[in-house]
Amino acid sequence: MANGLILGIVKIGDLLLNNHITQTGNGQDISDIKLQIPEYQRPYKWTAKNANQLLDDILYAKSENKEAYRVGTLILHEDKERGCYNIVDGQQRTITFSLLLKALGAGPIAFLSQQLTMNPYNLHNVSNNYRAVVRRINNLTQMAKDDLLAFIEHNCELIVVITDDLSEAFQFFDSQNVRGKKLYPHDLLKAYHLREMTDLDVEQTEKVVKTWEDMDQKALSALFTDYLYRLKEWIRGNKAIELDEHNIDLFKGITGSDNYPYAQYYKGAFSYADRLNHSSIPFVTGLHKLSPFQLDTPIVAGKPFFDYAKHYFDILTDIQNNDKYEGYLINDNEIVKTLDLRAYRNGVGNRITRLLFDTAILLYADRFCPEKPVKEDLDLLNQYVVYAFVWAYSLRAQYTNVGWLTAQNYIMGMATKEGIVNSFNLYRTITEADSPMTLLSTLADRILPLSADRIAANAKQETIDEVDEETGIYQNYLHYFDVNGFRRA
């Protein structure tokens, strides 16, 4: 007992089949545990994808011969009047483990006999998830089923917190949530990929972690949530909603144990590029280093993920820094000088439009720019920047208000139904081009000038050519539509 809480560890088999807590902090167990889902609990929202992910994690832990596989925290409120233990936190995982045990033929499971609140989530997800894991388990041999059941019963564990004070239980739950909010998707990915780094010694692992932690964590979070996640979805023609714990598998990548032909291909490509880049060949021959990453291909799990994050962190930093002498890609660009004005940094619509512009340049640089571009590369990039700018800011120019729904429809090409000009998926167009010249030719045909009647009232200003005398920066982005021939009367 500490601060009014009983802390312990419970094996899944003990909790769900034997109804007792395996061990508390004082070394004792607790018998006759009757788990209850109280009415105030949220519905069972785990989907078949979540259930299958849990099963995959268990199978992987089993293959690694883990003696104890900790799968989370269970917070219980001991309701002495009703003689039960209400689940305050951990319901989703506990129900899913119960379904796994049932699918493996274990039982009886008293926890599953209770009546759940009648709502669409409970009605659909319980039965659907059970069918999903049954289909997976039916593909196993009987021996494999028995081994899996034994591993779940005896090796899978939950950290358990018990209190008889309901307010204290919620306070502990809230404190967990507060800490949980700090575990952004990139933090969860860090933990996942560290577990995959079984081939590195402690010194190498510490070096990887230090490089990660030395990066600005707010910027690193934005890299994944705003840029890389959205690019991955937009390239595939999907709307990008939000990166969270339910879809971070986009960045989990190919593990060392994956031996499918596609996995072998990408692991081989990465290994070849990595080995060549760390050899003397680029220095001796004067050739460019090979890029071991591409945004539209799978990631290799483990240390390559951390290299991947640093690689794109540096490219995005370069793109967003318009200093004349820093970086390789965007340097002293006239268009970017105007876009960097405070007037175009404030407001949701401006920030969304700028994100479209930056992601379009990031994807181009990823596909067509070597690590240290030469003049020819930069000339092509600067031509492309004009098209990326006109494409992104055609959205800003044609709408009085820009929100995420408007922007996603514009990217997907759906805004053409409203007569919006230049609504198409630029990201997919980039990935379909086999050279910068091919892309520029395509964009020359697809990106059209805006007529005066298409430009929203809030974008129209008589002072389009106004320039700040001190800095020489044009104050209205439409100036660059004019000088590049993308605005007509």
Side-chain angles (χ1 to χ4, degrees):
M1 176 77 69
N3 299 325
L5 300 174
I6 297 176
L7 304 178
I9 296 172
V10 61
K11 296 182 184 298
I12 295 298
D14 284 342
L15 178 70
L16 297 173
L17 299 177
N18 302 321
N19 304 314
H20 77 265
I21 302 298
T22 311
Q23 183 178 333
T24 61
N26 59 13
Q28 299 178 346
D29 64 3
I30 302 176
S31 300
D32 301 321
I33 292 288
K34 181 183 178 184
L35 288 181
Q36 193 74 27
I37 299 175
E39 292 183 359
Y40 56 74
Q41 262 290 8
R42 63 176 182 153
Y44 177 58
K45 287 192 174 183
W46 270 26
T47 64
K49 178 180 177 181
N50 302 123
N52 278 317
Q53 183 63 60
L54 178 62
L55 180 54
D56 286 337
D57 291 344
I58 294 168
L59 290 169
Y60 179 73
K62 181 177 176 297
S63 71
E64 294 290 298
N65 296 315
K66 292 184 181 292
E67 291 185 8
Y69 180 46
R70 297 275 169 82
V71 290
T73 301
L74 179 66
I75 302 176
L76 300 177
H77 164 235
E78 183 183 4
D79 188 337
K80 293 182 177 179
E81 289 185 8
R82 293 188 173 91
C84 65
Y85 290 80
N86 292 321
I87 297 178
V88 177
D89 187 37
Q91 173 202 187
Q92 311 290 319
R93 189 174 282 104
T94 305
I95 292 177
T96 307
F97 267 113
S98 300
L99 298 178
L100 280 170
L101 290 172
K102 181 177 174 62
L104 286 164
I109 303 172
F111 176 66
L112 286 179
S113 64
Q114 64 187 285
Q115 184 72 40
L116 292 177
T117 304
M118 298 294 286
N119 66 66
Y121 290 107
N122 288 341
L123 292 173
H124 176 264
N125 289 339
V126 171
S127 58
N128 192 59
N129 292 0
Y130 177 69
R131 289 193 297 268
V133 296
V134 165
R135 285 193 292 270
R136 290 279 304 279
I137 289 169
N138 282 346
N139 288 323
L140 302 176
T141 64
Q142 188 57 50
M143 181 179 292
K145 292 178 184 178
D146 294 340
D147 288 345
L148 177 59
L149 176 58
F151 184 82
I152 292 175
E153 282 189 47
H154 305 296
N155 300 77
C156 292
E157 298 178 344
L158 289 164
I159 296 171
V160 63
V161 180
I162 305 173
T163 177
D164 59 5
D165 185 330
L166 184 58
S167 62
E168 187 177 55
F170 278 113
Q171 183 179 1
F172 189 83
F173 173 65
D174 289 340
S175 70
Q176 290 287 95
N177 273 356
V178 169
R179 288 195 293 274
K181 288 177 183 176
K182 295 178 183 177
L183 286 177
Y184 296 110
H186 76 286
D187 290 316
L188 298 172
L189 288 167
K190 171 189 171 184
Y192 172 82
H193 287 283
L194 281 174
R195 291 199 299 270
E196 293 293 325
M197 287 168 40
T198 55
D199 56 334
L200 296 187
D201 59 31
V202 174
E203 184 178 345
Q204 290 175 307
T205 301
E206 288 178 350
K207 184 177 179 181
V208 169
V209 172
K210 185 178 186 304
T211 300
W212 174 276
E213 292 180 349
D214 283 346
M215 289 185 277
D216 183 304
Q217 294 301 297
K218 184 177 179 181
L220 186 59
S221 175
L223 172 70
F224 281 96
T225 57
D226 293 337
Y227 296 90
L228 301 184
Y229 161 67
R230 296 189 187 282
L231 270 173
K232 280 185 172 291
E233 293 288 23
W234 290 338
I235 287 169
R236 298 189 296 182
N238 299 330
K239 291 185 176 181
I241 308 303
E242 180 184 14
L243 179 65
D244 56 28
E245 67 272 19
H246 300 300
N247 56 19
I248 59 171
D249 52 323
L250 280 171
F251 296 99
K252 287 188 174 180
I254 300 166
T255 67
S257 60
D258 289 333
N259 60 0
Y260 308 109
Y262 91 94
Q264 293 174 337
Y265 172 81
Y266 287 114
K267 286 194 290 186
F270 173 82
S271 298
Y272 176 75
D274 187 57
R275 179 167 295 186
L276 185 141
N277 291 340
H278 285 87
S279 74
S280 61
I281 293 176
F283 173 75
V284 172
T285 63
L287 295 174
H288 290 302
K289 287 187 175 182
L290 296 182
S291 174
F293 311 109
Q294 281 289 283
L295 285 168
D296 59 339
T297 61
I299 298 166
V300 177
K303 183 179 180 297
F305 166 80
F306 294 94
D307 297 337
Y308 167 95
K310 183 67 167 64
H311 175 76
Y312 288 111
F313 185 92
D314 290 344
I315 293 178
L316 184 61
T317 300
D318 188 339
I319 287 169
Q320 294 178 331
N321 179 7
N322 195 33
D323 187 276
K324 186 175 182 178
Y325 302 105
E326 294 183 19
Y328 294 100
L329 298 170
I330 302 298
N331 300 92
D332 204 33
N333 185 279
E334 296 296 320
I335 293 174
V336 176
K337 286 181 182 179
T338 297
L339 301 184
D340 281 343
L341 293 173
R342 182 176 296 179
Y344 297 121
R345 288 289 194 179
N346 295 331
V348 173
N350 286 330
R351 287 194 291 269
I352 290 173
T353 309
R354 181 59 185 267
L355 186 137
L356 266 60
F357 176 65
D358 286 348
T359 48
I361 297 174
L362 176 60
L363 183 58
Y364 176 95
D366 178 59
R367 191 166 181 84
F368 296 122
C369 292
E371 181 184 31
K372 296 180 180 179
V374 297
K375 184 178 184 304
E376 181 183 355
D377 299 315
L378 293 176
D379 287 343
L380 292 169
L381 171 62
N382 287 330
Q383 292 178 55
Y384 169 76
V385 167
V386 174
Y387 287 119
F389 159 73
V390 173
W391 175 78
Y393 281 80
S394 288
L395 168 69
R396 174 77 276 186
Q398 293 177 87
Y399 285 98
T400 301
N401 296 299
V402 173
W404 271 115
L405 179 60
T406 300
Q408 305 245 37
N409 287 340
Y410 179 79
I411 294 166
M412 298 299 106
M414 298 169 63
T416 54
K417 300 173 184 177
E418 305 171 25
I420 298 298
V421 179
N422 295 328
S423 171
F424 67 93
N425 192 332
L426 175 62
Y427 308 103
R428 178 173 282 181
T429 303
I430 295 169
T431 59
E432 290 174 350
D434 55 14
S435 71
M437 288 71 72
T438 301
L439 176 62
L440 292 173
S441 296
T442 300
L443 297 181
D445 288 332
R446 295 204 68 176
I447 296 183
L448 304 174
L450 298 186
S451 60
D453 65 317
R454 287 304 322 163
I455 298 176
N458 66 312
K460 294 177 180 177
Q461 295 182 22
E462 295 179 2
T463 55
I464 286 175
D465 293 325
E466 179 187 354
V467 61
D468 184 278
E469 293 182 3
E470 184 178 341
T471 63
I473 298 174
Y474 286 93
Q475 302 298 291
N476 191 311
Y477 69 88
L478 288 177
H479 166 80
Y480 295 103
F481 276 72
D482 282 349
V483 298
N484 289 288
F486 285 99
R487 199 167 76 100
R488 54 186 172 83

